[in-house]
Amino acid sequence: IVMLLPDNMRPENCIYYNGAIVLKVLQTEKKISVVDLYCRLREQYRMSFAILQLCIDWLYLIDCVIVKNGEVELCS
């Protein structure tokens, strides 16, 4: 299965691209609160909270993260 990205969109606005950034942070942290994750991503990558929410939802749907008690954890 090939997932195509829209060709009229900048990568910085794509959930796949931003999801990879979220995974990169979670690989070093393993478990982090949503607020701390947002603060880090806003500072380093200028990611909005809305994009972060969509990324977390997408990563949860594909079984990459677990969201529990306000914390995001990388699945093993």
Side-chain angles (χ1 to χ4, degrees):
I1 296 174
V2 176
M3 291 187 187
L4 301 175
L5 298 175
D7 61 355
N8 60 349
M9 180 185 278
R10 293 180 19 195
E12 298 83 24
N13 297 330
C14 180
I15 300 304
Y16 298 115
Y17 175 84
N18 286 297
I21 292 172
V22 172
L23 287 175
K24 182 179 176 181
V25 171
L26 288 174
Q27 285 178 337
T28 61
E29 294 293 325
K30 302 294 184 205
K31 190 176 197 180
I32 188 170
S33 75
V34 174
V35 174
D36 291 339
L37 180 61
Y38 170 65
C39 289
R40 177 180 284 186
L41 293 171
R42 183 187 61 191
E43 181 180 308
Q44 289 180 340
Y45 300 100
R46 299 176 53 155
M47 187 182 296
S48 70
F49 192 73
I51 295 292
L52 175 60
Q53 286 179 312
L54 290 171
C55 290
I56 290 172
D57 288 346
W58 177 64
L59 293 170
Y60 175 79
L61 287 172
I62 62 171
D63 290 329
C64 286
V65 298
I66 299 170
V67 182
K68 195 174 193 179
N69 297 328
E71 292 187 323
V72 182
E73 182 178 358
L74 190 62
C75 287
S76 53

